[in-house]
Amino acid sequence: MEIRNATDADIDAIRSIAHQSLSSTYTDFLGEETVEDAIDQWYGDGFAAELEDDHAVVLVVERDGEIAGFSQSDLVGQQYGTGRILWLHVHPDHRGGGTGVRLLVRTRETLLDEGADRVEAFVLADNEGGNEFYQEHGFKRAGEREVEIGDETFTENVYVEGDLEDEGWGAIDELEVDGETVYVSYGEAARGSQSPFYSAYRDGDREELYAWLCGSCDSIDNTMDTMGRIECNVCGNRRKATRWDASYL
């Protein structure tokens, strides 16, 4: 799985995924004409200019050489300190395999790296699955706003990250990795040379650290020395010694 910044060459794929995602998930409350209006409104002729906007963040996720999903975000407010996840779409064929949560994690990390000190997410109030997705991955509903799609007005729920306290960010994913079931905590990350390493546990209670998931190749086949250096045995991703490591998040 590769997650990267979107380019002009990705526009057709983004438009197609948005259409298929909206058509498969939103048709209980959005008519086909409204879906078409949404695609033209957000991913029409002006979308290429948005990709060039310094305060826009559009990421795509590739699986097996094809684009499986994308996220669309921006930075707003005083000193652009608020990162807003406006849309996160995954192709219906790639749902359920961790694609969505990994894209959410990388989007959040990118917004923080770009200077955000607060991350919000928006999802249409009638999208039950989308609301559950954010609630299950560390976000709490904080309010609502109105959004216009074509000639109609809809309510969006506004989510913010919950109180982290000592537990870390609450994005936990159950994955089958290298033949083993592990629970990956994306809120516990360590900077790697290619991609972060994420803490992996045997169960969702996160009582005992079991391994590190390499964010570059999704493997837990790695080694750690006495200084806390980690090296992935599959792709060579490396984490520096603990005493040099700064908080990645």
Side-chain angles (χ1 to χ4, degrees):
M1 181 187 301
E2 179 187 1
I3 301 175
R4 58 173 175 78
N5 290 320
T7 68
D8 288 350
D10 301 316
I11 291 177
D12 287 345
I14 288 172
R15 185 181 176 92
S16 175
I17 288 171
H19 190 280
Q20 293 182 69
S21 177
L22 288 169
S23 296
S24 67
T25 305
Y26 294 76
T27 49
D28 288 344
F29 55 93
L30 293 183
E32 181 60 32
E33 183 177 345
T34 304
V35 170
E36 295 293 343
D37 287 342
I39 299 302
D40 289 339
Q41 179 176 327
W42 295 318
Y43 308 110
D45 294 338
F47 187 60
E50 182 168 344
L51 293 181
E52 301 299 323
D53 189 328
D54 291 340
H55 303 299
V57 175
V58 182
L59 304 180
V60 295
V61 53
E62 290 186 2
R63 301 199 72 159
D64 300 324
E66 66 178 17
I67 296 177
F70 73 94
S71 65
Q72 181 181 2
S73 309
D74 62 11
L75 293 153
V76 299
Q78 187 175 14
Q79 297 181 337
Y80 299 98
T82 298
R84 305 187 306 174
I85 304 173
L86 304 172
W87 291 98
L88 192 154
H89 287 294
V90 175
H91 191 286
D93 292 344
H94 291 280
R95 292 175 182 171
T99 302
V101 67
R102 291 292 296 276
L103 181 57
L104 172 63
V105 168
R106 186 63 61 82
T107 301
R108 174 184 180 270
E109 291 174 350
T110 302
L111 290 170
L112 294 176
D113 284 345
E114 292 291 328
D117 51 27
R118 169 187 172 91
V119 177
E120 299 177 345
F122 300 90
V123 60
L124 291 175
D126 291 325
N127 180 3
E128 183 177 343
N131 282 273
E132 290 178 354
F133 175 76
Y134 284 109
Q135 291 166 5
E136 291 173 356
H137 294 103
F139 286 79
K140 293 183 179 180
R141 185 178 177 277
E144 59 185 39
R145 70 173 190 170
E146 300 301 311
V147 59
E148 294 184 0
I149 304 177
D151 296 329
E152 299 184 66
T153 301
F154 296 87
T155 299
E156 278 189 325
N157 285 333
V158 180
Y159 285 88
V160 297
E161 291 186 286
D163 187 1
L164 301 184
E165 295 181 346
D166 296 326
E167 298 181 2
W169 187 46
I172 310 296
D173 200 16
E174 179 182 350
L175 298 177
E176 189 77 17
V177 181
D178 299 342
E180 301 182 63
T181 299
V182 295
Y183 294 80
V184 180
S185 176
Y186 293 111
E188 303 172 52
R191 187 185 296 274
S193 58
Q194 301 176 31
S195 190
F197 287 94
Y198 302 102
S199 299
Y201 297 84
R202 279 294 196 186
D203 57 61
D205 293 333
R206 295 184 288 168
E207 293 181 354
E208 183 177 352
L209 181 66
Y210 172 67
W212 290 91
L213 177 78
C214 174
S216 178
C217 69
D218 291 349
S219 173
I220 57 173
D221 181 7
N222 45 64
T223 55
M224 177 186 288
D225 65 18
T226 57
M227 292 293 293
R229 287 183 288 253
I230 306 171
E231 181 170 356
C232 177
N233 296 323
V234 177
C235 70
N237 188 24
R238 293 182 177 86
R239 176 198 180 189
K240 292 182 178 180
T242 304
R243 69 181 185 187
W244 297 321
D245 191 31
S247 172
Y248 187 74
L249 300 179

